[in-house]
Amino acid sequence: GTGPYDPQNVFARILRGELPCRKVYEDEYALAFHDIAPKAPVHVLVIPKGPFVSFADFSSNGTEAEITGFTRAVGKVARDLKLEAPGYRLLSNVGVEAGQEVPHFHVHLFGGKALGAMLP
Ligand code: 5GP
């Protein structure tokens, strides 16, 4: 795993309003904002509001309401940003070895261009 939750991680600080972000969407369960270093024309991060280190942590320890609320928020952001045609990509890195830099669970949402096939 990635260890215990660090309340000083950058996304925790964004959630508390201590750091700014370019907000796309917010509700009881999720916050979505533009990635500071976009890797596609649209590159949004969606994070749950609870203190989850990674998808592994969230999927194990999130409540039904948190998991449902978060998942619906991801779909709503993709819909609202008109990413459904031609399509978009979801990605979540789990653990440092998989490229996870920020230890607060987040889903990357990529779109706004043809993305092509992806290999790991
Ligand atoms: P990871 O590598 O953990 O899957 O992805 C972390 C992402 O967070 C990276 O794409 C990086 O550009 C983005 N990021 C890191 N710090 C900040 C920040 O302070 N604000 C925003 N909006 N994005 C950030």
Side-chain angles (χ1 to χ4, degrees), residues 10-11 14 33-37 39 43 45 93 99-102 106 108:
V10 67
F11 294 169
I14 287 173
F33 51 92
H34 290 280
D35 196 290
I36 204 169
K39 292 170 181 68
H43 183 178
L45 302 170
N93 299 314
Q100 184 177 359
E101 294 174 356
V102 180
H106 50 283
H108 297 257

Side-chain angles (χ1 to χ4, degrees), residues 7-61:
Q8 295 309 322
N9 79 75
V10 67
F11 294 169
R13 299 190 63 202
I14 287 173
L15 277 172
R16 290 196 297 269
E18 296 168 10
L19 292 174
C21 72
R22 285 177 58 214
K23 188 189 296 186
V24 170
Y25 177 76
E26 181 170 18
D27 67 18
E28 176 181 357
Y29 297 107
L31 175 68
F33 51 92
H34 290 280
D35 196 290
I36 204 169
K39 292 170 181 68
V42 178
H43 183 178
V44 166
L45 302 170
V46 191
I47 69 176
K49 291 208 163 166
F52 300 102
V53 169
S54 67
F55 176 74
D57 184 14
F58 183 66
S59 59
S60 301
N61 300 315

